[in-house]
Amino acid sequence: EIVLTQSPATLSLSPGERATLSCRASQSVRNYLAWYQQKPGQAPRLLIYDASNRATGIPARFSGSGSGTDFTLTISSLEAEDFAIYYCQERNTFGPGTKVDF
Amino acid sequence: QVQLRESGPGLVKSSETLSLTCTVSGGSVTRGSYYWSWIRQPPGKGLEWIGYVYNSGSTKYNPSLKSRVTISIDTSRNQFSLKLNSVTAADTALYYCARDFRGGDSGSYLDYWGQGTLVTVAS
């Protein structure tokens, strides 16, 4: 069973700054990795699928990269609405999440 | 626009069976390459995949829940359902249904989610 590890657990940044979130798999998952954003009281929202493809309607400031075991979600310039928890997912497994806050 | 909506009791007694239904609108559960998943989130914690069903009725479950879970699909009603038996307080969570794409040369991604329904297990 694949285990996903996310780092850091919390990322404290300010609007306008660049956010770099990491997801590491316990074994190769090729490029089969997705990223989600979850805000309080809301369902998760798909941001990125297959490691680097933005989902419909996702702003260009969100980008994903990586393959194999190491993946990155980058938010190029944080906006107020981006402060949330971000999860990575590979098929039937979710990572523990990274909280992006002020 | 695909929409999913969970329904079912918000309170279940310990040792009994949790039953939820997800109604899909704006799209058919029979569409190929799309699986229909349940995910849960205990209060203040992360996401846990419960399992999925395909339009053929085939299923796959989280090994940690497999002995207690049944997911089924009703294509005539465009719905799918979750049953979790012998519940305990540890099963208290927000339960989400979601559409899960699993293509031939692609990973899995959950592109549409319900709003979630909180199920509390009471002793």
Side-chain angles (χ1 to χ4, degrees):
Chain A
E1 183 179 332
I2 290 172
V3 176
L4 298 177
T5 304
Q6 291 188 243
S7 61
T10 302
L11 194 54
S12 296
L13 295 169
S14 299
E17 290 192 296
R18 182 184 188 90
T20 303
L21 289 67
S22 173
C23 178
R24 177 164 290 179
S26 58
Q27 62 189 78
S28 176
V29 298
R30 297 177 61 180
N31 67 328
Y32 296 162
L33 195 92
W35 290 93
Y36 301 84
Q37 176 194 66
Q38 187 177 34
K39 298 179 183 179
Q42 295 184 18
R45 176 176 70 146
L46 175 67
L47 298 176
I48 301 287
Y49 64 94
D50 290 345
S52 60
N53 297 303
R54 269 191 304 277
T56 303
I58 301 303
R61 65 180 180 274
F62 292 92
S63 63
S65 62
S67 66
T69 60
D70 291 300
F71 299 87
T72 301
L73 174 69
T74 302
I75 310 171
S76 59
S77 179
L78 281 165
E79 299 197 3
E81 69 216 42
D82 300 335
F83 291 90
I85 299 175
Y86 293 83
Y87 296 96
C88 57
Q89 174 233 352
E90 189 282 332
R91 294 188 182 269
N92 310 330
T93 302
F94 289 94
T98 290
K99 183 178 183 180
V100 177
D101 66 9
F102 288 99
Chain B
Q1 176 82 345
V2 175
Q3 294 185 324
L4 296 91
R5 180 172 45 90
E6 304 89 352
S7 58
L11 185 65
V12 181
K13 292 183 178 179
S14 183
S15 78
E16 296 190 346
T17 297
L18 178 160
S19 296
L20 296 174
T21 295
C22 183
T23 300
V24 180
S25 59
S28 174
V29 297
T30 62
R31 184 174 176 185
S33 298
Y34 285 97
Y35 293 66
W36 302 91
S37 287
W38 288 96
I39 300 98
R40 71 180 183 179
Q41 185 171 38
K45 296 189 178 181
L47 301 167
E48 179 181 34
W49 177 77
I50 299 171
Y52 68 58
V53 63
Y54 193 56
N55 58 32
S56 62
S58 65
T59 55
K60 186 167 185 176
Y61 303 130
N62 186 321
S64 69
L65 299 170
K66 187 175 182 179
S67 63
R68 299 194 291 131
V69 172
T70 302
I71 298 175
S72 59
I73 194 165
D74 185 339
T75 57
S76 66
R77 295 187 174 190
N78 226 34
Q79 294 177 333
F80 61 107
S81 299
L82 167 70
K83 291 189 185 300
L84 180 66
N85 58 36
S86 304
V87 297
T88 69
D91 296 309
T92 293
L94 194 55
Y95 284 77
Y96 293 102
C97 59
R99 189 176 82 163
D100 185 349
F101 178 83
R102 296 183 183 229
D105 192 28
S106 173
S108 155
Y109 54 88
L110 301 144
D111 58 354
Y112 289 97
W113 295 65
Q115 82 281 5
T117 188
L118 178 64
V119 178
T120 301
V121 178
S123 56

